[in-house]
Amino acid sequence: MPDAKRPRIPRGMNPEGPALWSYGFRPFFLGGAIWAVLTMALWIAALVHGLPLGGDFGAALWHAHEMVFGFASAVLAGFLLTAIPNWTGTLPVSGRALIGLFSLWVLGRIAMTGAEWIGVWPAALIDALFLPVLLATAAREIVAGRKWNNLKVLIGVAAIMIGNLGFHATVLLGGDTAIWLRAAIAGYVALVMIIGGRIIPSFTRNWLSRQNAQTLPVPFNRFDIGVIGFSTLALIFWTIAPEALLTALMAVVAGGLNGARLVRWRGLATRAEGILLVLHLSYAFVPLGFLTIAASGAGLVQPVSALHVLTVGVIGATMLAVMTRATRGHTGRTLTASPLTLIAYLCLFAAALARPLADLSGGLWLMEAAGGLWILAFGLFVLEYGPMLMTRRPQPKTT
């Protein structure tokens, strides 16, 4: 039983130890952004100069794995370890526990990059540790806070974890890793639909209310539940049978439903505030991604184009949007996008459009340009937000 006389430490304000280990978003957002830059730079070097990457995994599989299970899993961890305390009203994972969890993620990156020297089996075993521990940690915190409704978020995390385990199993035993990559990507997209469908209209409603707007976003209701359910089913069909006619038809419907959902949130009314508008623009890649899945199933575009719309557009853009907003909010800054932040957003949206176009045109220069824009976007995040993540939040001035 907690000591009633002991003062409760405000979340993110643990006075002991470095600020970096006081809250989950700090090390994972910073580490994820740095890895996003390094991973893409190494991939471009492999494409242009033949740099060997990943040992027996091969450069292409290493790149795919480190984008989906390396960079993205870090940002997911930072978000969950920040959001769950808000959901449950409990203190965040911090200190030694956070250092241990982050160390597992770092060891996974070292192992995957050094697979040529330590071997594929040890690399796979080391990398496979992080996501199960993250899932167990998140589940423990949600259960401890008795927020049973939030357990559904863990389904998406479990899908990503299973995707990673399946990826390694197929590499080690022989087989096609594509289905496992699609399973993980589907998990991320489902999380964007679930969590984004809550926070985007909520943040928009709060901002528009302060602007005395008369028309507000439609709140989460049964329509949203139906869209999420049908879209998740479409993602399952895409994971298992991406070229099936039924998958294409379901994807078209899911794209239309998510487009209708987005319109209900009044995104155009937020164009004066970039840090809010970016959430709407990022979600716009969800219906676009479903339509690209349909086009791929119909043979109109390459399957890899659908993958890149979802990974760069939905996952990458949403993560950058959440990283900037959460960092500013949880470090005591105003929720307004700076010029550098706006440039980072624009770079990533340009990369999200250029990368599938590179698949369509086959132009290496366009692929390099998309990679350069990605590096610039996350490099600007590190430049601007790195100091915020490593230092204590500003204290109010006293007179």
Side-chain angles (χ1 to χ4, degrees):
M1 183 175 179
D3 185 355
K5 296 181 180 179
R6 184 178 180 182
R8 192 172 188 268
I9 300 171
R11 287 185 228 128
M13 294 292 289
N14 190 338
E16 299 178 2
L20 187 64
W21 308 113
S22 65
Y23 220 142
F25 74 91
R26 292 178 179 272
F28 280 110
F29 284 0
L30 183 58
I34 292 173
W35 192 237
V37 172
L38 292 178
T39 302
M40 188 60 71
L42 290 171
W43 171 236
I44 292 175
L47 284 175
V48 178
H49 303 293
L51 177 71
L53 284 175
D56 290 341
F57 284 102
L61 283 185
W62 178 88
H63 165 68
H65 182 276
E66 289 308 291
M67 283 290 109
V68 175
F69 302 110
F71 150 72
S73 71
V75 181
L76 175 62
F79 172 80
L80 288 176
L81 296 176
T82 305
I84 290 175
N86 288 337
W87 299 341
T88 62
T90 58
L91 293 177
V93 175
S94 62
R96 292 181 181 179
L98 181 56
I99 293 172
L101 188 58
F102 184 72
S103 296
L104 280 181
W105 178 80
V106 172
L107 285 173
R109 311 290 60 77
I110 295 172
M112 289 298 296
T113 307
E116 181 178 356
W117 297 279
I118 69 173
V120 174
W121 277 94
L125 290 173
I126 293 170
D127 176 71
L129 294 173
F130 172 67
L131 282 168
V133 175
L134 174 63
L135 180 63
T137 301
R140 181 197 66 196
E141 296 298 306
I142 292 174
V143 171
R146 298 181 180 277
K147 294 295 182 180
W148 314 114
N149 188 48
N150 294 123
L151 285 173
K152 62 179 177 291
V153 172
L154 301 185
I155 298 174
V157 182
I160 297 164
M161 179 191 72
I162 292 170
N164 191 37
L165 295 174
F167 176 94
H168 286 304
T170 52
V171 169
L172 295 171
L173 303 176
D176 185 9
T177 60
I179 187 172
W180 301 108
L181 287 169
R182 289 195 299 272
I185 292 167
Y188 283 115
V189 175
L191 287 174
V192 169
M193 291 189 296
I194 294 169
I195 299 171
R198 295 258 183 201
I199 66 173
I200 296 173
S202 175
F203 292 160
T204 304
R205 172 177 289 271
N206 293 341
W207 188 81
L208 289 176
S209 295
R210 290 195 296 271
Q211 312 305 313
N212 298 317
Q214 298 300 311
T215 306
L216 300 176
V218 178
F220 191 92
N221 56 26
R222 291 181 180 179
F223 175 77
D224 296 274
I225 296 173
V227 172
I228 293 171
F230 183 86
S231 299
T232 301
L233 187 61
L235 288 170
I236 293 172
F237 271 78
W238 172 67
T239 299
I240 299 171
E243 297 179 359
L245 176 60
L246 180 58
T247 299
L249 294 174
M250 292 181 70
V252 169
V253 176
L257 290 173
N258 278 280
R261 193 182 188 208
L262 181 61
V263 170
R264 288 154 45 101
W265 297 340
R266 299 212 61 222
L268 290 177
T270 68
R271 57 187 177 274
E273 184 47 76
I275 206 166
L276 182 55
L277 177 62
V278 67
L279 290 169
H280 292 267
L281 295 176
S282 299
Y283 197 91
F285 279 90
V286 173
L288 180 61
F290 276 114
L291 294 179
T292 310
I293 287 173
S296 172
L300 300 177
V301 299
Q302 300 177 43
V304 71
S305 297
L307 283 175
H308 284 128
V309 170
L310 295 173
T311 52
V312 184
V314 178
I315 301 171
T318 300
M319 286 186 168
L320 182 61
V322 169
M323 289 162 69
T324 52
R325 185 182 183 93
T327 299
R328 297 195 70 88
H330 285 274
T331 60
R333 273 77 178 185
T334 57
L335 292 177
T336 300
S338 69
L340 274 183
T341 300
L342 292 175
I343 293 172
Y345 293 157
L346 291 173
C347 287
L348 196 53
F349 285 133
L353 295 173
R355 187 59 187 87
L357 286 176
D359 297 325
L360 292 172
S361 66
L364 181 60
W365 69 271
L366 198 53
M367 192 179 299
E368 293 174 2
L373 289 165
W374 173 280
I375 289 172
L376 185 56
F378 285 99
L380 288 174
F381 176 87
V382 174
L383 177 66
E384 182 176 7
Y385 290 85
M388 300 182 198
L389 293 167
M390 292 188 291
T391 57
R392 298 285 174 187
R393 59 187 294 164
Q395 298 297 312
K397 295 181 179 180
T398 58
T399 56

